[in-house]
Amino acid sequence: MKNFVISASVFFGICIIYFLIMISKTEGNFTYILDDAYIHLAMAKNFALHGVWGMTKYSFSSSSSSPIFTFILSVLIYVFGNNELNPLIFNIVISSLIIFFLNKYYKSVFDKNNHIIIATLFTFLFAVLHLQIFTGMEHVLQVLIVVVNVFYFQKWIKSDFKDQLSSYWFYFTILLLGLVRFESMFYFASIAFVFFLIKRFKEAFLVLILGFVPILIFGYFNYHQDGYFFPNSVVVKGTSFNFLGNYVEQIKEIVLRKIILNVKFYQVVLLPLLIGFILIYKDYKSILSFQKIIINNFLIVAWSLTLMLQCIFGEFKGPFRYEAYLLTVFSMILIPRLKPFFISPLSEFKKEKFTGAILIVNIILLIYKFCFAHILIKQGSENIYEQQIQSAKFLKKYYNNSNVVANDIGAICYFSDIHLLDFVGLGSTEMIPFNKKGAVIDSRFKNYLTKYCKENNYQLAIAYEEWLRGQTPENWKKVAVLTIKNNVVVGQDHVFIYSIDPKIHESLKQNVKDFKWNKNVDVKIME
């Protein structure tokens, strides 16, 4: 209990300091550092209050990247009321559980309390989990489930796969992971492959069945609603591979863009892989059998494969959220194997110079990430408040039930009851063909947008001009541009308000003039 109290006090002490900094910059209004958090909130609100799984209460849209997380938020809204702090409070509770399990896990590794606390806090800071709390997203929940997964898997494998209770918890977490984040499919495939290597075929098939069946069920219902198997965000942002031909060029392009020229590969992937390789090589030099090497390094092999698949087919961008679960797992896997560096660091650094050098680079990376997270938390909340929240308040006051075109859709849908057309495709399935990977934005996009807005009586747009890529419909007239300072998280530091319906152009202009914008937002009327 003492270890838990100290670990939690340090971690949540950091969080409280940042919470106070954030609200001091947003007129006392807590604001998440990503607009994506409000996508979850908007969908959860509509599902809880109106029974509609969508960005608006009017129609279905598969905009959630994490169906389970959105569903949990909808339950919280239904039970406790529609409060924008629900994701924050939920993430804090989940973080407490992560600390509990990490303390329990490291207690089986270290004898001294200070080593347990240091290992727990290192894991939290290495995965930048304090930042993930303030994103208001599903990644903290994802981390908890993989922590529980690894915790019970290690107990299970130590019992030579005879501990039934541990196996049940392991499989239960597999069942949940796919609908928390869809990239968990990479883990299912990787761990099943390693089970095949050690000839445990029953376990391999169970992982594949329990991991993929929930995804297949979700995909079945999703496809019958909007014609796509995965949510819009996965369809729009995921790496696509064309099986009709040109395989060599496609593979070369993926390797070049996703690995060789990808800075994130060197920041996130390379160092854990190197340490894992060193540990496996040591077992190889000990003249162990192939099966013994694999069993000794089961999770290193499985999660190294997962890491590579995530790098190639997934994403590593934004505020360290996509890699948080991977870095947490690698900390749990590698820290026990690097125990001597915690107990007697000086002598171990002298003895294992290459491994020690990689560890030092990892510590430098941890410091860099902590500093970068500081900037994102400190400034990101202010950016979202000044751009997305102000836009939402403006729409709520003057155009609460109007037809609106936008590209950042979270806050404006959560705080208002607009009818939405999302030209990026996350909230509007009809726009996905123009936004999938490899799609070219040309006059067809402009013609479709012009026609659709006219036929469905859209009145105004709040959009980044740059994201329209030179294909802004001719009948869209600029009314104003809103500019913020010190942008670190939003797509552009300026966003345009357009009139689509010419009848409202002058009244829209007057409403922009009359609205009480935040003092840090520079509002320029287009005369």
Side-chain angles (χ1 to χ4, degrees), residues 365-388:
L365 270 176
L366 183 150
I367 296 168
Y368 157 76
K369 287 189 287 188
F370 190 88
C371 294
F372 191 61
H374 171 76
I375 296 168
L376 289 175
I377 295 172
K378 181 169 169 259
Q379 196 60 48
S381 178
E382 188 176 7
N383 291 160
I384 297 296
Y385 183 73
E386 290 172 1
Q387 190 175 96
Q388 278 75 13

Side-chain angles (χ1 to χ4, degrees), residues 10 24 32 64-65 75 83 131 296 308 338 348 352 357 461 485:
V10 173
S24 72
Y32 297 103
S64 171
S65 56
V75 172
N83 192 319
L131 176 64
N296 281 1
M308 285 302 299
L338 300 171
E348 199 62 26
E352 298 282 351
K485 298 174 183 176

